[in-house]
C-alpha cells in the first residue's frame, strides 16, 4: 500500500499558515525578560524573551526599533507587542516584535518626555546659553557618590591627565528618592562657594530607575541656574538624561567627563613647546626683517647725503612755486575771459534790450499793416467807383433821360416784341417823369436797323 509523504518544507509551510491565520497569535502583548540580546550591523535586533518557565526567539527589525527611546539590554524586563510566526528555514516559531516598552517604568518615560518637552520650550537646551568649558581649569568640583566607580574613574583620569588642578569632591546620593535634592543642593553650594572653574556631575551606569535622579526637574533647574560651567556624565553612552540636555557639555561616561574637563599635561607641554618654537622662529624672523629694513634705510640716499637731499628738495620747491604761479596766472586769465564772455552774453540777452528790439519790430509791423490797409482800401474804392460808373451807364433811368421809354401791358409785363400785343389792347408806357396809358391802334413788324460796332460811319 502506497502512502503520501509530506516534505519538511511543506509541513513547515502548513504550520506557518495555520499560525499566521490564528488571530490570538497576532498583535499580542508579552511581558518578559530579555536575554541573548544582539544588535546586527544592519540595525536588526535579535534576542530571547523568557520568563521562569519558557522562552521564545524574537526579532525586532530596524524599521520597528529605530524609534526606541532606549537600548534593550540583557536582563531588562519589557513589554513587547508583535506577531507569532514561523521562520521557515529553521522550522522555528518566533516572535516578531513591533513595539517595545520597558516594563514597570512606562510612567517614568512619560514623565521624562513631558519634562524634556517642557524644559525645551523654556529654552533650557539652547546652545546659545551654554557656557564655555575653560581650557585649563584651576579648580574642579566633582559631584557624585563617594563610593561609586564613577568618582574613582574621574579622579584617576584627572590626576593622570592634569595633576596640577585642585579637585573638590562633593559627595551626594545618586539614586533613590533623596538623590535629586542632594544633587541640586550640591550644585547650588558649589556655585555659592565660588572658586570653581568647572563642575562634573554624574554617576556610573544603571537602569533608568537608578539614573532617574538626573531626570528630575529640581536637578535640571540647579544646572540651568549655575554660574559655573557643568559637565554632565551620567551612566553609559546610551543613557541620555535631562541633565545631559541642560548641562553645558555632555560626556558619554564619567571618564570622558574627566578628559573633557582637563587637558593632558603631556599634550599641553608638547603644545607649549611647539608654540615656543613658533614664537621664537617668528620673533627671529621679525627681528631679522626689521634689521634688514633698518639697513636699507641706513643705505638710502636720504641718510647718506641729507644736505644734497635738502638742496634737491629746495630746487624742487622753487620749481613747484614757479609752476604754481604760472598756473595761477593762467587760471586768472581764463576766468577773466570767461567773465567777459558771460557779461557780453548777459548784455545781449538782457530783458531790457529784448523789450526794445521787440518794440521796434512791433512798430515796423504796425506801419506795414497800416500802409497795406490803406492800399487795399484805395484799391477797393477804385473798383467800387468803376462799378458805380458801369451801373450808371447801364441804368434804365439814364436811358430814359436820353428819350427811351418802357412799354408794359397787364400787370407790368415788359413788351419787347410787337407781336406780344394785339390791336385794341391797352398799354402803359413808362417815361422819365411819368406814365402814358394807350391803346394799340395798329402794328407792323418794321424793326430798328441794328448797326454792328465798327460799321457805323465815323
Amino acid at each position: 500500500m502506497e502512502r503520501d509523504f509530506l516534505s519538511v518544507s511543506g509541513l513547515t509551510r502548513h504550520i506557518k499558515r495555520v499560525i499566521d491565520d490564528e488571530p490570538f497569535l497576532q498583535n499580542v502583548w508579552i511581558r518578559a525578560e530579555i536575554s541573548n540580546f544582539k544588535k546586527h550591523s544592519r540595525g536588526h535586533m535579535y534576542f530571547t524573551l523568557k520568563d521562569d518557565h519558557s522562552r521564545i526567539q524574537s526579532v525586532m527589525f530596524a524599521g520597528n526599533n529605530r524609534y526606541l527611546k532606549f537600548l534593550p539590554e540583557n536582563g531588562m524586563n519589557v513589554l513587547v507587542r508583535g506577531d507569532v510566526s514561523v521562520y521557515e528555514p529553521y522550522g522555528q516559531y518566533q516572535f516578531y516584535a513591533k513595539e517595545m516598552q520597558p516594563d514597570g517604568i512606562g510612567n517614568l518615560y512619560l514623565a521624562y518626555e513631558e519634562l524634556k518637552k517642557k524644559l525645551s520650550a523654556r529654552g533650557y537646551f539652547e546652545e546659545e546659553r551654554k557656557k564655555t568649558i575653560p581650557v585649563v581649569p584651576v579648580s574642579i568640583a566633582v559631584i557624585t557618590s563617594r563610593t561609586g566607580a564613577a568618582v574613582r574613574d574621574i579622579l584617576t583620569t584627572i590626576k593622570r591627565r592634569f595633576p596640577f588642578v585642585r579637585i573638590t569632591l562633593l559627595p551626594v546620593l545618586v539614586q533613590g528618592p533623596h538623590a535629586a535634592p542632594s544633587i541640586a543642593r550640591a550644585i547650588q553650594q558649589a556655585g555659592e562657594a565660588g572658586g570653581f572653574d568647572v563642575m562634573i556631575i554624574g554617576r556610573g551606569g544603571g537602569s533608568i530607575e537608578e539614573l532617574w535622579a538626573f531626570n528630575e526637574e529640581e536637578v535640571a533647574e540647579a544646572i540651568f541656574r549655575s554660574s559655573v560651567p557643568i559637565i554632565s556624565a551620567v551612566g553609559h553612552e546610551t543613557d541620555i538624561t535631562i541633565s545631559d540636555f541642560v548641562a553645558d557639555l555632555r560626556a558619554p561616561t564619567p571618564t570622558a567627563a574627566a578628559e573633557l574637563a582637563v587637558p593632558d599635561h603631556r599634550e599641553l607641554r608638547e603644545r607649549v613647546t611647539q608654540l615656543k618654537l613658533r614664537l621664537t622662529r617668528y620673533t627671529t624672523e621679525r627681528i631679522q626683517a626689521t634689521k634688514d629694513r633698518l639697513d636699507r634705510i641706513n643705505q638710502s640716499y636720504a641718510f647718506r647725503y641729507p644736505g644734497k637731499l635738502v638742496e634737491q628738495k629746495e630746487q624742487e620747491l622753487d620749481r613747484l612755486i614757479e609752476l604754481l604761479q604760472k598756473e595761477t596766472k593762467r587760471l586768472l586769465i581764463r576766468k577773466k575771459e570767461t567773465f567777459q564772455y558771460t557779461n557780453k552774453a548777459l548784455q545781449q540777452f538782457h530783458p531790457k534790450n529784448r523789450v526794445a528790439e521787440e518794440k521796434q519790430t512791433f512798430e515796423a509791423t504796425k506801419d506795414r499793416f497800416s500802409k497795406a490797409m490803406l492800399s487795399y482800401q484805395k484799391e477797393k474804392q477804385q473798383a467800387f467807383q468803376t462799378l458805380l460808373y458801369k451801373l450808371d451807364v447801364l441804368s434804365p433811368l439814364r436811358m430814359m433821360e436820353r428819350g427811351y421809354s418802357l412799354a408794359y401791358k397787364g400787370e407790368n409785363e415788359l413788351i419787347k416784341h410787337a407781336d406780344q400785343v394785339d390791336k385794341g389792347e391797352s398799354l402803359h408806357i413808362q417815361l422819365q417823369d411819368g406814365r402814358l396809358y394807350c391803346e394799340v391802334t395798329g402794328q407792323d413788324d418794321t424793326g430798328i436797323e441794328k448797326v454792328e460796332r465798327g460799321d457805323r460811319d465815323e
Side-chain angles (χ1 to χ4, degrees):
M1 184 178 69
E2 294 185 358
R3 302 181 63 177
D4 294 333
F5 295 95
L6 290 174
S7 64
V8 176
S9 59
L11 178 61
T12 304
R13 191 178 305 113
H14 178 75
I15 295 173
K16 174 178 172 59
R17 188 163 52 249
V18 172
I19 293 177
D20 289 345
D21 292 340
E22 173 54 50
F24 181 77
L25 300 178
Q26 308 302 316
N27 201 32
V28 297
W29 282 94
I30 296 176
R31 172 179 283 114
E33 177 185 338
I34 291 177
S35 66
N36 299 323
F37 178 82
K38 179 181 179 182
K39 187 172 184 179
H40 194 271
S41 58
R42 296 178 58 202
H44 306 322
M45 294 178 176
Y46 297 92
F47 48 92
T48 300
L49 294 175
K50 66 178 185 178
D51 58 16
D52 294 338
H53 304 288
S54 299
R55 61 181 58 202
I56 181 174
Q57 297 297 322
S58 305
V59 59
M60 192 172 192
F61 293 116
N64 293 319
N65 67 44
R66 59 190 300 185
Y67 299 110
L68 288 181
K69 304 295 185 185
F70 65 99
L71 182 65
E73 296 179 348
N74 292 329
M76 180 180 289
N77 293 321
V78 293
L79 299 175
V80 189
R81 182 180 65 83
D83 304 328
V84 178
S85 186
V86 174
Y87 182 56
E88 290 188 35
Y90 287 180
Q92 171 183 298
Y93 83 95
Q94 63 182 17
F95 190 78
Y96 291 83
K98 298 179 180 176
E99 183 179 351
M100 182 183 295
Q101 297 178 4
D103 185 17
I105 56 173
N107 292 333
L108 293 181
Y109 267 96
L110 291 177
Y112 170 88
E113 292 295 334
E114 184 176 354
L115 179 60
K116 180 182 174 184
K117 184 177 180 181
K118 174 183 175 182
L119 297 182
S120 177
R122 290 181 181 176
Y124 279 33
F125 306 154
E126 297 292 337
E127 289 295 328
E128 291 75 11
R129 55 150 292 275
K130 293 183 182 294
K131 296 177 283 295
T132 303
I133 307 300
V135 178
V136 184
V138 176
S139 179
I140 297 177
V142 178
I143 301 175
T144 185
S145 171
R146 182 192 298 274
T147 58
V151 66
R152 192 167 53 251
D153 294 341
I154 293 173
L155 296 179
T156 302
T157 303
I158 291 178
K159 289 178 180 177
R160 173 175 53 82
R161 288 175 58 84
F162 199 69
F164 318 104
V165 69
R166 184 171 63 252
I167 304 173
T168 302
L169 175 63
L170 283 75
V172 295
L173 298 174
V174 293
Q175 69 181 65
H178 303 294
S182 175
I183 297 169
R185 185 166 54 252
I187 294 173
Q188 182 180 359
Q189 290 174 347
E192 293 174 350
F196 295 112
D197 298 315
V198 64
M199 293 186 207
I200 298 175
I201 65 168
R203 54 153 292 158
S207 64
I208 190 170
E209 295 98 327
E210 293 170 341
L211 303 179
W212 193 252
F214 295 91
N215 287 324
E216 295 283 358
E217 185 173 1
E218 185 177 6
V219 175
E221 287 285 349
I223 296 173
F224 180 75
R225 301 189 185 287
S226 173
S227 59
V228 180
I230 293 179
I231 300 175
S232 175
V234 181
H236 299 139
E237 186 171 359
T238 56
D239 299 323
I240 301 178
T241 63
I242 297 295
S243 299
D244 295 329
F245 289 113
V246 184
D248 299 294
L249 182 64
R250 174 184 178 261
T253 62
T255 301
E259 293 176 346
L260 293 172
V262 295
D264 188 309
H265 70 94
R266 289 164 296 189
E267 295 178 357
L268 205 58
R269 289 180 187 277
E270 181 66 22
R271 178 66 175 164
V272 170
T273 301
Q274 292 179 357
L275 291 176
K276 286 175 65 178
L277 289 175
R278 290 177 56 184
L279 180 61
T280 302
R281 184 168 60 250
Y282 175 75
T283 304
T284 302
E285 291 175 354
R286 287 296 304 270
I287 291 174
Q288 184 61 43
T290 305
K291 185 178 179 181
D292 294 343
R293 184 165 177 267
L294 181 60
D295 291 341
R296 288 196 298 273
I297 294 174
N298 287 330
Q299 294 298 323
S300 65
Y301 186 86
F303 274 78
R304 294 175 61 188
Y305 306 103
K308 292 185 177 179
L309 181 64
V310 172
E311 293 175 356
Q312 291 179 1
K313 295 299 179 184
E314 287 284 349
Q315 186 176 355
E316 181 68 12
L317 180 61
D318 292 342
R319 188 183 68 81
L320 293 175
I321 291 174
E322 184 178 357
L323 180 62
L324 177 63
Q325 291 174 344
K326 289 182 179 179
E327 284 297 317
T328 304
K329 185 176 181 181
R330 186 185 65 81
L331 181 62
L332 289 175
I333 292 173
R334 191 175 66 182
K335 292 295 183 184
K336 184 176 180 180
E337 291 176 350
T338 302
F339 171 77
Q340 291 175 347
Y341 174 80
T342 305
N343 187 44
K344 185 177 180 181
L346 180 63
Q347 293 297 328
Q348 182 178 357
F349 295 100
H350 194 279
K352 181 178 180 181
N353 297 332
R354 290 297 303 272
V355 170
E357 291 177 358
E358 294 298 331
K359 188 175 181 180
Q360 291 178 356
T361 303
F362 171 76
E363 293 296 337
T365 304
K366 183 179 177 182
D367 291 342
R368 288 197 302 272
F369 177 77
S370 299
K371 292 178 178 178
M373 185 179 68
L374 293 175
S375 175
Y376 180 77
Q377 183 179 6
K378 184 177 181 180
E379 181 181 350
K380 292 300 179 182
Q381 285 180 346
Q382 290 177 351
F384 179 70
Q385 292 297 330
T386 301
L387 290 175
L388 287 179
Y389 175 75
K390 289 180 179 180
L391 182 62
D392 185 62
V393 170
L394 298 176
S395 175
L397 298 178
R398 297 286 296 183
M399 293 179 66
M400 289 181 178
E401 289 177 357
R402 293 197 297 269
Y404 293 95
S405 61
L406 298 174
Y408 298 91
K409 73 175 183 178
E411 295 297 331
N412 294 327
E413 180 184 357
L414 181 63
I415 299 172
K416 298 180 180 179
H417 303 285
D419 56 358
Q420 287 184 246
V421 297
D422 298 327
K423 185 178 178 180
E425 189 173 0
S426 298
L427 302 177
H428 66 268
I429 300 171
Q430 180 69 46
L431 301 177
Q432 180 183 5
D433 53 352
R435 288 185 177 182
L436 297 177
Y437 296 94
C438 308
E439 180 179 340
V440 178
T441 59
Q443 63 183 124
D444 60 38
D445 55 357
T446 305
I448 301 175
E449 181 183 2
K450 294 182 180 179
V451 180
E452 297 295 335
R453 185 180 296 270
D455 295 340
R456 181 182 296 175
D457 295 334
E458 297 294 335

